[in-house]
Amino acid sequence: MATLVVRLPDGTENEHEVAGELKLGRQQGCDILLTEGGVSRTHARVFDEGGTVFIEDLGSANGTFVDGERIAEPTPLTSKSEVVLGDYTLSLKAEAPSRGSGARKAAKSAPPAEDVAVGSEGAGARATRALPSIKSKSPAGPGAPKRPARPAAPSRPGGAAGGGGSTGPMLRGLVGPWAGRTYPLRGKVIVGRQPPAAVMLEDDSVSRRHAELEAGPSGVTVKDLGSANGTLLNGEPLGPEPVPLEPGDQLQFGVVEMSFDMEEAALAVPTRRGSGPIPTRRGAGGAAAAAAEEDAAPPGRKKLLVAAGGVMALLVVAAVVKVALPGGGAADVDTGPAAPVDPTEQVQELLSECRSYASSELGAPNWARAEEVCTKALDLDPIHPEANTLIRRIKLEKESYEHYSAGEKLLQRLKPEEALESFRKIQKESEYFRRARGKAREAAEQVTKRAQEDCRLYLRNSQWSAAVPRCQVYMAVWCQSQSRESLQPPLGYTLKLEGRLRRNEWRPKDSLFVKFLMARQRLDPNAAPWTCPASDVLEYDDQPTDPRSIVDAAVKKRYTNKLLQAAVMDYWTGRGSEALATLQALRRNYEAAQFHAQADELLKTMSTVDQLFKGGQSYLAADDPEKAAEPFREALDLDKQLMQELAESKPSFYRRNILQDMADKSYQRGKAWADRQDKRRACKVWKLGFAFYAGNPDLNKAAAFCSSLALATFKGSGGCPDLAAAMDYAVKGDGVEELVVEKKKEWSCP
């Protein structure tokens, strides 16, 4: 029997015997559960047929690769085959050598020849992309250089863009949306796809913690942090050991290319790439190399070097004078006009970053960082509605998180009363409120058990001053589950705690509650009537919180026949085939003829939704969300007719998957166009996905990016074609569309 070896992203391996069929995916119920990036819910299956092991892709979003090729049908595997599936590498270990294959190789699979970029499926998924292997190679000999030589490189878009006056060591983006952007390097800087990375590269080929750069007195070093797709320095892979950088070095994180520059890069004329060897860095440790280069250069080259050195010396002196003399104005060194920064675009970028930190899609939100970034946006535009809404929510969530964390710690330290007080401070509007309810009830159970015992003991011994505060603690929790009628006298009645009740007199039924009220009166005859303190976190819901229970109750209210009820519930959970079979069985029962009309209507609607859903999914599998949009829209309309008021609040399996998958694929497809520098086409696709589902954090950022492009294009428009481009970028609700419509009327555009 063959054995499947699964190598995890951390390098560990698990073995599974291939007996019959093994399903692989991130959904519970799969035979091999793979929860890291790039794996679909049900991704692939491995099965044995006639002694040969096959692997088949089950329509996964990011594909299954065998020996570097994406498979579309069941593919046989051998002990030499290498399978890449998201962040995982699979290989086959046979129990005996195959016929004619010679001696069997070692059981442990060979290191993978290809890694796959990390992504994630579901909300905010990123496409997984196969990249060539860039694992570190051992040096050719003891004399191998410590850092790769820097080859002459062709120019890249944005490679010569100014950094806006940045000083000190920095990274400069060369491709995609990072082209021309600069990232200053101070101390230790993490490069990755999500916080705490200081250099955030939102690309599926970049790992969460990809690489680390450290700027010190002796210079800047870089090292790889075990990323999936590796880090390249001048085309050579890096390992975990720090390697020094020189100005002009080319770095590649996944597929994102950047250059390393020093302080003078912001002042000097951009270096033209591809015109010969890059000059050797001068400064500490480089004087001897500079002198050797100068001696070996021809006379004309020497003069140029001397002139360049003189110019650099003048620039340094001017910079020193500028710092030394306060208020330097017209006499300052002119470093060239800085590119004007559009405040609206800057606000949108800050809001996008703020939403990213406040999102829980990629892990625990960083509320402190989100508040800091959102405050910067408000400093630029104090009346920006979205920024004000975000900052209010972030402050609420930040405060709630602090109360929730404090309550958890107090509960762990066996201080339930203090923990309960912390949980009570969490407001109902916070997302931590629901999480705090279970913890608060756990703390309340511990509190009431001890307080109830003390209350009974003190009341029995007539120790009123000790009984009242302990009973108060118990009653404050107990009363949350009681009705108002059991705690307060009805209208027109008076409270009487002792003696025989007369007309219009009332007494609570709970004896301990009565004794507690009597103890309060004995301590203070003029005390105000006791009322149950409001505590939302301990309040019991009247409605069930389980969505299935709510849907089931609504369906039973709408349909009296049990088969109709079962069919609708099957449809809601995604069991379309079972729902249709149930309705057909009802249709064949002529004793239930009064329900046939309803069954026919449901049969027609459900079968149509199922067919449209499968048709749209086939377009998504072909990376064509634009064609999938039409059948998906029709399916959503029919789903709303079927589920009525529950369609939006308690979405069915079909609606949830249509919205999320459409958003995921639209983001991936738009990103592919953005990588090709076609931002206009990218924004069209991103807007399409955003119209389906606005809860995807990646699409939120993409929409903000397109909105800023729309405003910039509109402001710089010189004719009707420019206005058409602005409309392609404009996102519904950002206000640009209205501006374009007015301008079209003014210019009489078609």
Side-chain angles (χ1 to χ4, degrees):
M1 183 180 298
T3 302
L4 185 68
V5 180
V6 180
R7 187 164 66 89
L8 279 63
D10 61 2
T12 59
E13 293 183 350
N14 294 328
E15 295 187 357
H16 306 269
E17 290 187 354
V18 183
E21 177 183 279
L22 294 174
K23 283 190 177 180
L24 299 89
R26 63 179 175 85
Q27 187 176 17
Q28 293 293 335
C30 290
D31 301 303
I32 302 178
L33 200 61
L34 308 177
T35 58
E36 295 295 330
V39 181
S40 296
R41 297 177 181 88
T42 306
H43 197 109
R45 71 183 184 112
V46 175
F47 59 95
D48 189 328
E49 185 173 307
T52 302
V53 177
F54 291 82
I55 186 167
E56 179 183 9
D57 186 81
L58 299 179
S60 64
N62 299 315
T64 303
F65 296 82
V66 177
D67 296 328
E69 297 292 333
R70 183 167 182 168
I71 62 172
E73 56 186 17
T75 304
L77 299 179
T78 67
S79 58
K80 297 181 180 180
S81 300
E82 181 181 83
V83 181
V84 174
L85 188 152
D87 281 356
Y88 298 85
T89 303
L90 316 179
S91 59
L92 198 64
K93 183 173 75 173
E95 289 295 329
S98 303
R99 296 179 183 178
S101 62
R104 183 166 60 94
K105 293 188 177 181
K108 188 173 182 180
S109 60
E114 183 173 294
D115 274 328
V116 178
V118 181
S120 62
E121 190 168 332
R126 295 178 178 86
T128 297
R129 191 184 322 167
L131 295 177
S133 174
I134 53 175
K135 299 295 181 186
S136 299
K137 302 174 184 177
S138 57
K146 291 187 67 176
R147 63 178 304 284
R150 184 174 66 254
S155 60
R156 296 186 179 277
S166 300
T167 59
M170 69 187 77
L171 289 179
R172 189 187 305 277
L174 300 178
V175 295
W178 309 278
R181 294 185 62 180
T182 57
Y183 302 86
L185 303 175
R186 297 181 181 88
K188 287 187 179 180
V189 175
I190 301 295
V191 179
R193 202 177 66 221
Q194 68 181 49
V199 180
M200 292 271 289
L201 305 178
E202 290 286 339
D203 190 87
D204 53 2
S205 65
V206 179
S207 297
R208 296 174 179 87
R209 286 171 52 88
H210 197 104
E212 179 184 277
L213 294 96
E214 182 173 4
S218 59
V220 181
T221 60
V222 62
K223 65 179 179 180
D224 186 73
L225 295 179
S227 60
N229 292 316
T231 304
L232 295 180
L233 172 59
N234 298 329
E236 293 295 326
L238 293 177
E241 296 299 322
V243 176
L245 291 176
E246 294 181 0
D249 279 342
Q250 305 291 306
L251 287 165
Q252 183 175 332
F253 309 102
V255 298
V256 180
E257 299 178 23
M258 312 188 88
S259 66
F260 170 71
D261 294 320
M262 293 297 288
E263 180 176 359
E264 60 268 24
L267 302 174
V269 177
T271 304
R272 182 177 60 189
R273 305 188 185 283
S275 60
I278 295 175
T280 306
R281 176 178 57 180
R282 299 172 186 264
E293 181 186 359
E294 187 173 347
D295 291 340
R301 176 73 181 277
K302 289 182 181 180
K303 291 180 180 180
L304 287 175
L305 291 174
V306 172
V311 171
M312 290 304 298
L314 286 174
L315 290 175
V316 171
V317 171
V320 172
V321 171
K322 181 178 180 179
V323 174
L325 295 177
D332 291 346
V333 177
D334 184 9
T335 59
V341 179
D342 186 352
T344 305
E345 183 176 349
Q346 195 172 0
V347 168
Q348 289 297 334
E349 289 180 0
L350 289 170
L351 289 180
S352 176
E353 186 178 355
C354 177
R355 285 190 293 266
S356 175
Y357 283 119
S359 172
S360 58
E361 299 290 339
L362 299 176
N366 188 339
W367 298 116
R369 187 76 179 111
E371 183 179 16
E372 178 186 342
V373 176
C374 243
T375 303
K376 291 180 181 178
L378 278 176
D379 291 341
L380 294 173
D381 188 355
I383 62 172
H384 195 284
E386 185 183 359
N388 280 282
T389 302
L390 268 174
I391 199 70
R392 284 194 295 270
R393 173 179 167 260
I394 288 168
K395 287 181 177 179
L396 168 68
E397 298 296 352
K398 181 184 176 184
E399 183 180 349
S400 300
Y401 171 72
E402 291 171 355
H403 292 316
Y404 180 78
S405 300
E408 273 193 320
K409 291 178 182 177
L410 290 168
L411 197 58
Q412 292 170 0
R413 295 172 186 170
L414 303 180
K415 297 181 179 180
E417 289 187 39
E418 297 175 30
L420 189 56
E421 285 304 312
S422 291
F423 292 135
R424 277 176 169 152
K425 294 176 183 177
I426 299 175
Q427 297 187 36
K428 201 169 186 178
E429 295 78 15
S430 169
E431 67 179 40
Y432 291 97
F433 180 80
R434 183 69 60 184
R435 296 165 61 182
R437 298 192 73 174
K439 296 286 184 181
R441 286 171 184 165
E442 181 183 345
E445 287 178 6
Q446 299 178 30
V447 169
T448 53
K449 184 177 181 181
R450 178 79 177 271
Q452 185 183 28
E453 292 175 356
D454 291 344
C455 175
R456 291 183 186 278
L457 178 63
Y458 294 141
L459 288 174
R460 191 180 305 122
N461 295 318
S462 301
Q463 298 178 5
W464 314 124
S465 59
V468 169
R470 294 303 292 161
C471 291
Q472 172 77 28
V473 172
Y474 168 72
M475 294 298 170
V477 177
W478 169 80
C479 70
Q480 303 298 327
S481 59
Q482 305 300 312
S483 64
R484 180 188 176 281
E485 291 75 14
S486 63
L487 299 175
Q488 297 178 14
L491 189 65
Y493 282 72
T494 58
L495 177 67
K496 184 177 181 181
L497 299 175
E498 296 182 277
R500 192 172 179 180
L501 292 176
R502 298 178 180 178
R503 187 177 181 181
N504 296 336
E505 292 180 341
W506 176 85
R507 182 183 302 156
K509 294 181 180 180
D510 189 272
S511 60
L512 186 61
F513 184 43
V514 172
K515 292 177 182 178
F516 161 63
L517 296 178
M518 291 171 62
R520 289 181 77 249
Q521 280 190 353
R522 285 186 171 89
L523 279 182
D524 184 3
N526 299 320
W530 186 85
T531 56
C532 181
S535 181
D536 291 335
V537 79
L538 292 175
E539 188 180 41
Y540 286 83
D541 289 336
D542 296 332
Q543 287 186 323
T545 56
D546 180 21
R548 184 184 180 92
S549 302
I550 297 174
V551 175
D552 187 56
V555 169
K556 286 180 179 177
K557 188 176 180 180
R558 190 181 307 159
Y559 301 102
T560 56
N561 184 272
K562 291 186 177 181
L563 290 179
L564 291 176
Q565 296 169 5
V568 175
M569 290 305 298
D570 281 339
Y571 167 85
W572 184 78
T573 56
R575 303 171 61 192
S577 301
E578 290 83 348
L580 296 177
T582 301
L583 291 172
Q584 289 167 354
L586 174 62
R587 192 66 180 79
R588 290 193 295 269
N589 183 6
Y590 290 99
E591 294 180 0
Q594 67 270 30
F595 302 111
H596 285 184
Q598 288 179 310
D600 289 340
E601 187 66 26
L602 290 178
L603 269 170
K604 180 181 177 182
T605 303
M606 290 181 184
S607 60
T608 305
V609 170
D610 191 64
Q611 291 173 7
L612 291 169
F613 175 76
K614 291 176 180 176
Q617 288 289 343
S618 65
Y619 284 126
L620 290 186
D623 293 329
D624 197 344
E626 292 163 297
K627 287 186 178 179
E630 184 177 351
F632 277 163
R633 287 195 186 100
E634 188 176 350
L636 291 176
D637 288 341
L638 291 173
D639 177 83
K640 192 165 186 177
Q641 294 176 19
L642 179 59
M643 300 307 299
Q644 298 181 14
E645 73 279 358
L646 296 174
E648 302 292 343
S649 59
K650 302 294 181 290
S652 66
F653 164 85
Y654 293 98
R655 179 172 290 272
R656 285 197 315 272
N657 281 271
I658 286 174
L659 299 181
Q660 294 175 4
D661 292 349
M662 191 66 183
D664 293 345
K665 278 295 184 181
S666 295
Y667 173 74
Q668 296 166 15
R669 186 61 177 165
K671 190 174 179 305
W673 286 112
D675 289 341
R676 300 177 193 175
Q677 301 300 313
D678 192 344
K679 296 177 183 177
R680 189 170 177 178
R681 182 69 182 272
C683 283
K684 283 184 177 180
V685 181
W686 282 334
K687 286 163 52 182
L688 175 66
F690 190 73
F692 272 84
Y693 182 55
N696 186 305
D698 292 318
L699 272 183
N700 276 332
K701 297 174 187 176
F705 172 71
C706 294
S707 183
S708 62
L709 285 179
L711 189 59
T713 305
F714 173 77
K715 289 182 177 179
S717 59
C720 294
D722 294 333
L723 293 179
M727 284 293 290
D728 288 340
Y729 291 131
V731 179
K732 187 176 181 180
D734 63 3
V736 177
E737 184 175 353
E738 291 77 4
L739 296 174
V740 171
V741 171
E742 292 179 6
K743 186 63 72 174
K744 279 187 174 181
K745 291 180 180 178
E746 180 184 338
W747 290 351
S748 302
C749 295

